[in-house]
Short mmCIF file of all heavy atoms in Angstrom, two decimals:
data_model
loop_
_atom_site.label_atom_id
_atom_site.label_comp_id
_atom_site.label_asym_id
_atom_site.label_seq_id
_atom_site.Cartn_x
_atom_site.Cartn_y
_atom_site.Cartn_z
N SER A 51 3.83 -3.11 -4.80
CA SER A 51 4.26 -1.81 -5.28
C SER A 51 3.93 -1.68 -6.75
O SER A 51 3.74 -2.69 -7.45
CB SER A 51 5.76 -1.61 -5.05
OG SER A 51 6.50 -2.53 -5.84
N ILE A 52 3.90 -0.44 -7.21
CA ILE A 52 3.66 -0.18 -8.63
C ILE A 52 4.40 1.08 -9.01
O ILE A 52 4.43 2.06 -8.26
CB ILE A 52 2.14 -0.08 -8.94
CG1 ILE A 52 1.92 -0.02 -10.46
CG2 ILE A 52 1.50 1.09 -8.22
CD1 ILE A 52 0.47 -0.25 -10.85
N THR A 53 5.04 1.05 -10.17
CA THR A 53 5.72 2.24 -10.66
C THR A 53 4.73 3.13 -11.40
O THR A 53 3.65 2.68 -11.81
CB THR A 53 6.87 1.86 -11.60
OG1 THR A 53 6.31 1.32 -12.81
CG2 THR A 53 7.80 0.84 -10.96
N SER A 54 5.12 4.37 -11.59
CA SER A 54 4.26 5.28 -12.34
C SER A 54 4.14 4.84 -13.79
O SER A 54 3.21 5.26 -14.48
CB SER A 54 4.79 6.71 -12.25
OG SER A 54 6.17 6.76 -12.55
N GLY A 55 5.03 3.97 -14.22
CA GLY A 55 4.93 3.40 -15.56
C GLY A 55 4.04 2.18 -15.63
O GLY A 55 3.79 1.65 -16.71
N GLY A 56 3.55 1.71 -14.45
CA GLY A 56 2.60 0.61 -14.43
C GLY A 56 3.16 -0.76 -14.10
O GLY A 56 2.42 -1.76 -14.15
N THR A 57 4.44 -0.85 -13.75
CA THR A 57 5.02 -2.15 -13.40
C THR A 57 4.72 -2.48 -11.95
O THR A 57 5.07 -1.71 -11.05
CB THR A 57 6.53 -2.14 -13.63
OG1 THR A 57 6.79 -1.87 -15.02
CG2 THR A 57 7.12 -3.50 -13.27
N ALA A 58 4.07 -3.62 -11.73
CA ALA A 58 3.67 -4.02 -10.39
C ALA A 58 4.57 -5.13 -9.86
O ALA A 58 5.11 -5.93 -10.62
CB ALA A 58 2.22 -4.49 -10.39
N ASP A 59 4.66 -5.18 -8.54
CA ASP A 59 5.43 -6.22 -7.86
C ASP A 59 4.68 -6.59 -6.59
O ASP A 59 3.99 -5.74 -6.01
CB ASP A 59 6.83 -5.72 -7.53
CG ASP A 59 7.76 -6.86 -7.10
OD1 ASP A 59 7.45 -8.03 -7.42
OD2 ASP A 59 8.78 -6.58 -6.45
N TYR A 60 4.81 -7.84 -6.18
CA TYR A 60 4.08 -8.34 -5.03
C TYR A 60 4.97 -9.21 -4.15
O TYR A 60 5.90 -9.85 -4.64
CB TYR A 60 2.90 -9.20 -5.47
CG TYR A 60 1.88 -8.50 -6.31
CD1 TYR A 60 1.98 -8.46 -7.69
CD2 TYR A 60 0.79 -7.87 -5.71
CE1 TYR A 60 1.05 -7.80 -8.46
CE2 TYR A 60 -0.16 -7.21 -6.48
CZ TYR A 60 -0.02 -7.19 -7.86
OH TYR A 60 -0.96 -6.54 -8.61
N ALA A 61 4.61 -9.25 -2.87
CA ALA A 61 5.18 -10.28 -2.03
C ALA A 61 4.70 -11.63 -2.59
O ALA A 61 3.53 -11.78 -2.94
CB ALA A 61 4.70 -10.12 -0.58
N ALA A 62 5.61 -12.58 -2.67
CA ALA A 62 5.29 -13.85 -3.32
C ALA A 62 4.07 -14.53 -2.70
O ALA A 62 3.24 -15.13 -3.39
CB ALA A 62 6.51 -14.77 -3.27
N SER A 63 3.96 -14.42 -1.38
CA SER A 63 2.88 -15.12 -0.68
C SER A 63 1.51 -14.49 -0.91
O SER A 63 0.48 -15.10 -0.62
CB SER A 63 3.17 -15.15 0.83
OG SER A 63 3.24 -13.84 1.35
N LEU A 64 1.49 -13.26 -1.46
CA LEU A 64 0.23 -12.54 -1.64
C LEU A 64 -0.20 -12.47 -3.09
O LEU A 64 -1.35 -12.10 -3.38
CB LEU A 64 0.37 -11.12 -1.08
CG LEU A 64 0.73 -11.01 0.39
CD1 LEU A 64 0.90 -9.55 0.80
CD2 LEU A 64 -0.32 -11.70 1.26
N ARG A 65 0.72 -12.82 -3.96
CA ARG A 65 0.37 -12.79 -5.39
C ARG A 65 -0.81 -13.71 -5.65
O ARG A 65 -0.84 -14.84 -5.21
CB ARG A 65 1.58 -13.23 -6.20
CG ARG A 65 1.47 -12.99 -7.70
CD ARG A 65 2.72 -13.51 -8.40
NE ARG A 65 3.91 -12.80 -7.98
CZ ARG A 65 4.37 -11.70 -8.56
NH1 ARG A 65 3.72 -11.19 -9.59
NH2 ARG A 65 5.46 -11.13 -8.12
N GLY A 66 -1.77 -13.19 -6.39
CA GLY A 66 -2.98 -13.97 -6.70
C GLY A 66 -4.17 -13.57 -5.86
O GLY A 66 -5.31 -13.69 -6.31
N ARG A 67 -3.92 -13.10 -4.64
CA ARG A 67 -5.03 -12.61 -3.80
C ARG A 67 -5.10 -11.09 -3.78
O ARG A 67 -6.18 -10.53 -3.63
CB ARG A 67 -4.87 -13.11 -2.36
CG ARG A 67 -5.06 -14.60 -2.18
CD ARG A 67 -5.25 -14.96 -0.71
NE ARG A 67 -4.11 -14.63 0.12
CZ ARG A 67 -4.16 -13.82 1.18
NH1 ARG A 67 -5.31 -13.25 1.53
NH2 ARG A 67 -3.08 -13.59 1.90
N PHE A 68 -3.97 -10.43 -3.91
CA PHE A 68 -3.91 -8.98 -3.86
C PHE A 68 -3.59 -8.44 -5.26
O PHE A 68 -2.81 -9.05 -6.00
CB PHE A 68 -2.84 -8.51 -2.89
CG PHE A 68 -3.17 -8.72 -1.43
CD1 PHE A 68 -4.16 -9.58 -1.02
CD2 PHE A 68 -2.46 -8.03 -0.46
CE1 PHE A 68 -4.45 -9.77 0.32
CE2 PHE A 68 -2.74 -8.21 0.89
CZ PHE A 68 -3.73 -9.08 1.28
N ALA A 69 -4.16 -7.30 -5.59
CA ALA A 69 -3.87 -6.66 -6.87
C ALA A 69 -3.71 -5.17 -6.67
O ALA A 69 -4.58 -4.52 -6.07
CB ALA A 69 -4.99 -6.94 -7.87
N ILE A 70 -2.62 -4.62 -7.18
CA ILE A 70 -2.35 -3.20 -7.06
C ILE A 70 -2.56 -2.54 -8.42
O ILE A 70 -2.27 -3.13 -9.46
CB ILE A 70 -0.93 -2.94 -6.52
CG1 ILE A 70 -0.74 -1.48 -6.13
CG2 ILE A 70 0.13 -3.41 -7.51
CD1 ILE A 70 0.54 -1.21 -5.34
N SER A 71 -3.10 -1.33 -8.39
CA SER A 71 -3.29 -0.57 -9.62
C SER A 71 -3.06 0.90 -9.32
O SER A 71 -3.08 1.32 -8.16
CB SER A 71 -4.69 -0.79 -10.19
OG SER A 71 -5.68 -0.40 -9.27
N GLY A 72 -2.84 1.67 -10.37
CA GLY A 72 -2.56 3.08 -10.19
C GLY A 72 -3.31 3.94 -11.17
O GLY A 72 -3.64 3.49 -12.27
N ASP A 73 -3.61 5.15 -10.76
CA ASP A 73 -4.24 6.15 -11.63
C ASP A 73 -3.38 7.40 -11.55
O ASP A 73 -3.49 8.18 -10.61
CB ASP A 73 -5.67 6.43 -11.18
CG ASP A 73 -6.40 7.34 -12.14
OD1 ASP A 73 -5.74 8.06 -12.93
OD2 ASP A 73 -7.64 7.35 -12.11
N ASN A 74 -2.51 7.57 -12.55
CA ASN A 74 -1.60 8.72 -12.53
C ASN A 74 -2.34 10.04 -12.61
O ASN A 74 -1.87 11.05 -12.09
CB ASN A 74 -0.60 8.62 -13.68
CG ASN A 74 0.35 7.45 -13.52
OD1 ASN A 74 0.06 6.51 -12.80
ND2 ASN A 74 1.48 7.51 -14.20
N THR A 75 -3.50 10.07 -13.23
CA THR A 75 -4.25 11.32 -13.36
C THR A 75 -4.78 11.79 -12.00
O THR A 75 -5.03 12.97 -11.80
CB THR A 75 -5.41 11.18 -14.34
OG1 THR A 75 -6.36 10.24 -13.81
CG2 THR A 75 -4.93 10.68 -15.69
N LYS A 76 -4.96 10.82 -11.09
CA LYS A 76 -5.44 11.16 -9.75
C LYS A 76 -4.34 11.03 -8.70
O LYS A 76 -4.61 11.23 -7.50
CB LYS A 76 -6.60 10.24 -9.36
CG LYS A 76 -7.83 10.39 -10.25
CD LYS A 76 -8.95 9.46 -9.80
CE LYS A 76 -10.18 9.65 -10.68
NZ LYS A 76 -11.28 8.74 -10.27
N ASP A 77 -3.12 10.66 -9.15
CA ASP A 77 -2.01 10.48 -8.21
C ASP A 77 -2.42 9.54 -7.07
O ASP A 77 -2.15 9.81 -5.89
CB ASP A 77 -1.53 11.81 -7.66
CG ASP A 77 -1.01 12.75 -8.75
OD1 ASP A 77 -0.23 12.28 -9.59
OD2 ASP A 77 -1.41 13.93 -8.76
N THR A 78 -3.05 8.46 -7.45
CA THR A 78 -3.63 7.53 -6.48
C THR A 78 -3.31 6.09 -6.88
O THR A 78 -3.30 5.77 -8.08
CB THR A 78 -5.16 7.72 -6.42
OG1 THR A 78 -5.44 9.06 -6.00
CG2 THR A 78 -5.80 6.76 -5.43
N VAL A 79 -3.06 5.27 -5.87
CA VAL A 79 -2.92 3.83 -6.11
C VAL A 79 -3.95 3.10 -5.27
O VAL A 79 -4.42 3.62 -4.24
CB VAL A 79 -1.51 3.31 -5.79
CG1 VAL A 79 -0.48 3.94 -6.73
CG2 VAL A 79 -1.13 3.54 -4.35
N TYR A 80 -4.30 1.91 -5.72
CA TYR A 80 -5.33 1.10 -5.08
C TYR A 80 -4.77 -0.29 -4.80
O TYR A 80 -3.99 -0.82 -5.61
CB TYR A 80 -6.55 0.98 -5.98
CG TYR A 80 -7.08 2.31 -6.45
CD1 TYR A 80 -6.68 2.85 -7.67
CD2 TYR A 80 -7.97 3.04 -5.66
CE1 TYR A 80 -7.15 4.08 -8.10
CE2 TYR A 80 -8.46 4.27 -6.08
CZ TYR A 80 -8.04 4.78 -7.31
OH TYR A 80 -8.51 5.99 -7.72
N LEU A 81 -5.22 -0.87 -3.71
CA LEU A 81 -4.84 -2.25 -3.39
C LEU A 81 -6.12 -3.03 -3.16
O LEU A 81 -6.81 -2.82 -2.15
CB LEU A 81 -3.95 -2.31 -2.16
CG LEU A 81 -3.45 -3.71 -1.78
CD1 LEU A 81 -2.46 -4.22 -2.84
CD2 LEU A 81 -2.80 -3.71 -0.40
N GLN A 82 -6.44 -3.90 -4.10
CA GLN A 82 -7.59 -4.78 -3.96
C GLN A 82 -7.13 -6.04 -3.24
O GLN A 82 -6.23 -6.74 -3.73
CB GLN A 82 -8.17 -5.12 -5.33
CG GLN A 82 -9.34 -6.08 -5.29
CD GLN A 82 -10.57 -5.48 -4.66
OE1 GLN A 82 -10.94 -4.35 -4.96
NE2 GLN A 82 -11.21 -6.21 -3.77
N MET A 83 -7.76 -6.35 -2.12
CA MET A 83 -7.39 -7.51 -1.32
C MET A 83 -8.57 -8.47 -1.28
O MET A 83 -9.65 -8.10 -0.80
CB MET A 83 -6.99 -7.08 0.09
CG MET A 83 -5.88 -6.03 0.13
SD MET A 83 -5.34 -5.63 1.79
CE MET A 83 -6.79 -4.79 2.41
N ASN A 84 -8.36 -9.66 -1.78
CA ASN A 84 -9.42 -10.67 -1.85
C ASN A 84 -9.07 -11.88 -1.01
O ASN A 84 -7.91 -12.12 -0.68
CB ASN A 84 -9.62 -11.10 -3.30
CG ASN A 84 -10.04 -9.96 -4.20
OD1 ASN A 84 -10.81 -9.09 -3.81
ND2 ASN A 84 -9.53 -9.95 -5.43
N ASP A 85 -10.11 -12.66 -0.69
CA ASP A 85 -9.93 -13.89 0.09
C ASP A 85 -9.05 -13.61 1.32
O ASP A 85 -8.06 -14.31 1.57
CB ASP A 85 -9.31 -14.99 -0.77
CG ASP A 85 -9.30 -16.34 -0.09
OD1 ASP A 85 -10.13 -16.56 0.82
OD2 ASP A 85 -8.45 -17.18 -0.44
N LEU A 86 -9.43 -12.60 2.05
CA LEU A 86 -8.62 -12.19 3.20
C LEU A 86 -8.62 -13.24 4.29
O LEU A 86 -9.63 -13.94 4.52
CB LEU A 86 -9.12 -10.86 3.74
CG LEU A 86 -8.69 -9.66 2.89
CD1 LEU A 86 -9.56 -8.45 3.17
CD2 LEU A 86 -7.23 -9.32 3.12
N LYS A 87 -7.48 -13.35 4.95
CA LYS A 87 -7.27 -14.34 6.01
C LYS A 87 -6.92 -13.63 7.31
O LYS A 87 -6.41 -12.49 7.29
CB LYS A 87 -6.13 -15.28 5.61
CG LYS A 87 -6.32 -15.95 4.26
CD LYS A 87 -5.14 -16.78 3.87
CE LYS A 87 -5.27 -17.32 2.44
NZ LYS A 87 -6.48 -18.13 2.25
N PRO A 88 -7.15 -14.28 8.44
CA PRO A 88 -6.80 -13.62 9.71
C PRO A 88 -5.34 -13.17 9.76
O PRO A 88 -5.04 -12.14 10.38
CB PRO A 88 -7.09 -14.72 10.75
CG PRO A 88 -8.19 -15.52 10.13
CD PRO A 88 -7.87 -15.54 8.66
N GLU A 89 -4.46 -13.90 9.11
CA GLU A 89 -3.05 -13.51 9.13
C GLU A 89 -2.76 -12.27 8.29
O GLU A 89 -1.62 -11.77 8.30
CB GLU A 89 -2.15 -14.67 8.67
CG GLU A 89 -2.55 -15.29 7.36
CD GLU A 89 -3.42 -16.53 7.53
OE1 GLU A 89 -4.31 -16.53 8.43
OE2 GLU A 89 -3.24 -17.47 6.73
N ASP A 90 -3.74 -11.77 7.56
CA ASP A 90 -3.58 -10.49 6.84
C ASP A 90 -3.85 -9.31 7.76
O ASP A 90 -3.66 -8.16 7.34
CB ASP A 90 -4.53 -10.42 5.65
CG ASP A 90 -4.20 -11.45 4.59
OD1 ASP A 90 -3.01 -11.63 4.28
OD2 ASP A 90 -5.15 -12.08 4.06
N THR A 91 -4.30 -9.58 8.98
CA THR A 91 -4.53 -8.51 9.93
C THR A 91 -3.24 -7.75 10.20
O THR A 91 -2.22 -8.36 10.56
CB THR A 91 -5.09 -9.07 11.25
OG1 THR A 91 -6.38 -9.64 11.00
CG2 THR A 91 -5.20 -7.99 12.31
N ALA A 92 -3.27 -6.44 9.99
CA ALA A 92 -2.06 -5.63 10.11
C ALA A 92 -2.42 -4.17 9.92
O ALA A 92 -3.54 -3.83 9.53
CB ALA A 92 -1.02 -6.04 9.06
N ILE A 93 -1.45 -3.32 10.21
CA ILE A 93 -1.55 -1.93 9.79
C ILE A 93 -0.87 -1.83 8.43
O ILE A 93 0.29 -2.26 8.28
CB ILE A 93 -0.88 -0.98 10.80
CG1 ILE A 93 -1.55 -1.11 12.17
CG2 ILE A 93 -0.97 0.47 10.30
CD1 ILE A 93 -0.86 -0.32 13.26
N TYR A 94 -1.57 -1.28 7.47
CA TYR A 94 -1.05 -1.16 6.12
C TYR A 94 -0.60 0.29 5.89
O TYR A 94 -1.39 1.22 6.08
CB TYR A 94 -2.13 -1.56 5.10
CG TYR A 94 -2.33 -3.05 5.05
CD1 TYR A 94 -2.92 -3.73 6.12
CD2 TYR A 94 -1.93 -3.81 3.95
CE1 TYR A 94 -3.09 -5.11 6.09
CE2 TYR A 94 -2.10 -5.18 3.91
CZ TYR A 94 -2.68 -5.81 4.99
OH TYR A 94 -2.84 -7.18 4.96
N TYR A 95 0.65 0.44 5.50
CA TYR A 95 1.25 1.75 5.31
C TYR A 95 1.52 1.99 3.83
O TYR A 95 2.22 1.20 3.19
CB TYR A 95 2.58 1.86 6.07
CG TYR A 95 2.45 1.80 7.56
CD1 TYR A 95 2.56 0.59 8.24
CD2 TYR A 95 2.23 2.96 8.30
CE1 TYR A 95 2.45 0.53 9.62
CE2 TYR A 95 2.12 2.91 9.69
CZ TYR A 95 2.23 1.69 10.34
OH TYR A 95 2.12 1.64 11.70
N CYS A 96 0.99 3.08 3.32
CA CYS A 96 1.27 3.49 1.95
C CYS A 96 2.59 4.27 1.90
O CYS A 96 2.96 4.95 2.89
CB CYS A 96 0.12 4.38 1.46
SG CYS A 96 0.32 5.00 -0.21
N TYR A 97 3.29 4.18 0.78
CA TYR A 97 4.50 4.97 0.63
C TYR A 97 4.63 5.43 -0.82
O TYR A 97 4.02 4.88 -1.72
CB TYR A 97 5.74 4.15 1.03
CG TYR A 97 6.14 3.10 0.01
CD1 TYR A 97 7.12 3.38 -0.96
CD2 TYR A 97 5.55 1.85 0.00
CE1 TYR A 97 7.47 2.43 -1.90
CE2 TYR A 97 5.90 0.90 -0.94
CZ TYR A 97 6.86 1.19 -1.87
OH TYR A 97 7.21 0.24 -2.82
N ILE A 98 5.45 6.45 -0.99
CA ILE A 98 5.87 6.88 -2.31
C ILE A 98 7.38 7.09 -2.25
O ILE A 98 7.89 7.66 -1.28
CB ILE A 98 5.13 8.16 -2.79
CG1 ILE A 98 5.57 8.51 -4.22
CG2 ILE A 98 5.34 9.32 -1.83
CD1 ILE A 98 4.71 9.60 -4.86
N ARG A 99 8.07 6.62 -3.28
CA ARG A 99 9.53 6.76 -3.33
C ARG A 99 9.95 7.16 -4.73
O ARG A 99 9.48 6.60 -5.72
CB ARG A 99 10.22 5.44 -2.94
CG ARG A 99 11.73 5.51 -2.91
CD ARG A 99 12.35 4.17 -2.56
NE ARG A 99 12.05 3.18 -3.58
CZ ARG A 99 11.45 2.02 -3.34
NH1 ARG A 99 11.07 1.72 -2.12
NH2 ARG A 99 11.24 1.18 -4.32
N ARG A 100 10.83 8.14 -4.77
CA ARG A 100 11.36 8.59 -6.06
C ARG A 100 12.87 8.54 -5.97
O ARG A 100 13.46 9.12 -5.05
CB ARG A 100 10.88 10.02 -6.35
CG ARG A 100 11.35 10.58 -7.67
CD ARG A 100 10.84 12.02 -7.83
NE ARG A 100 11.53 12.72 -8.88
CZ ARG A 100 11.04 12.96 -10.08
NH1 ARG A 100 9.83 12.53 -10.40
NH2 ARG A 100 11.76 13.60 -10.98
N ARG A 101 13.50 7.87 -6.91
CA ARG A 101 14.96 7.68 -6.85
C ARG A 101 15.71 8.52 -7.85
O ARG A 101 16.93 8.39 -7.96
CB ARG A 101 15.29 6.19 -7.01
CG ARG A 101 14.87 5.37 -5.80
CD ARG A 101 15.19 3.91 -5.97
NE ARG A 101 15.05 3.21 -4.69
CZ ARG A 101 15.04 1.90 -4.57
NH1 ARG A 101 15.17 1.14 -5.64
NH2 ARG A 101 14.91 1.34 -3.38
N VAL A 102 15.00 9.36 -8.60
CA VAL A 102 15.67 10.31 -9.49
C VAL A 102 15.45 11.70 -8.92
O VAL A 102 14.47 11.94 -8.21
CB VAL A 102 15.15 10.20 -10.94
CG1 VAL A 102 15.52 8.84 -11.52
CG2 VAL A 102 13.65 10.44 -11.02
N THR A 103 16.36 12.59 -9.25
CA THR A 103 16.29 13.94 -8.69
C THR A 103 15.00 14.63 -9.10
O THR A 103 14.65 14.60 -10.29
CB THR A 103 17.50 14.76 -9.18
OG1 THR A 103 18.70 14.10 -8.76
CG2 THR A 103 17.48 16.16 -8.55
N PRO A 104 14.28 15.25 -8.20
CA PRO A 104 14.52 15.28 -6.75
C PRO A 104 14.06 13.98 -6.09
O PRO A 104 12.95 13.53 -6.33
CB PRO A 104 13.67 16.46 -6.27
CG PRO A 104 12.52 16.48 -7.25
CD PRO A 104 13.09 16.04 -8.56
N THR A 105 14.94 13.40 -5.30
CA THR A 105 14.59 12.14 -4.63
C THR A 105 13.77 12.42 -3.38
O THR A 105 13.93 13.46 -2.71
CB THR A 105 15.86 11.37 -4.24
OG1 THR A 105 16.62 12.16 -3.33
CG2 THR A 105 16.70 11.06 -5.46
N PHE A 106 12.89 11.48 -3.03
CA PHE A 106 12.12 11.57 -1.78
C PHE A 106 11.53 10.22 -1.44
O PHE A 106 11.44 9.31 -2.29
CB PHE A 106 11.04 12.65 -1.84
CG PHE A 106 10.09 12.52 -3.00
CD1 PHE A 106 9.13 11.51 -3.03
CD2 PHE A 106 10.14 13.42 -4.05
CE1 PHE A 106 8.25 11.40 -4.10
CE2 PHE A 106 9.26 13.32 -5.12
CZ PHE A 106 8.32 12.32 -5.14
N HIS A 107 11.10 10.10 -0.20
CA HIS A 107 10.48 8.88 0.29
C HIS A 107 9.56 9.29 1.44
O HIS A 107 10.03 9.81 2.45
CB HIS A 107 11.55 7.90 0.79
CG HIS A 107 11.02 6.53 1.08
ND1 HIS A 107 11.83 5.48 1.49
CD2 HIS A 107 9.77 6.01 1.02
CE1 HIS A 107 11.10 4.39 1.65
NE2 HIS A 107 9.83 4.69 1.37
#
Side-chain angles (χ1 to χ4, degrees):
S51 65
I52 189 166
T53 69
S54 49
T57 300
D59 193 19
Y60 299 89
S63 62
L64 301 178
R65 191 181 297 270
R67 292 195 297 122
F68 288 17
I70 192 169
S71 59
D73 186 340
N74 293 21
T75 65
K76 297 181 179 179
D77 299 313
T78 299
V79 296
Y80 307 94
L81 183 69
Q82 178 68 45
M83 305 184 292
N84 299 322
D85 189 24
L86 283 161
K87 305 176 187 302
E89 52 264 39
D90 294 317
T91 295
I93 300 174
Y94 285 70
Y95 294 92
C96 179
Y97 74 95
I98 183 169
R99 183 181 64 236
R100 181 182 165 103
R101 290 180 168 168
V102 295
T103 302
T105 61
F106 54 72
H107 191 178

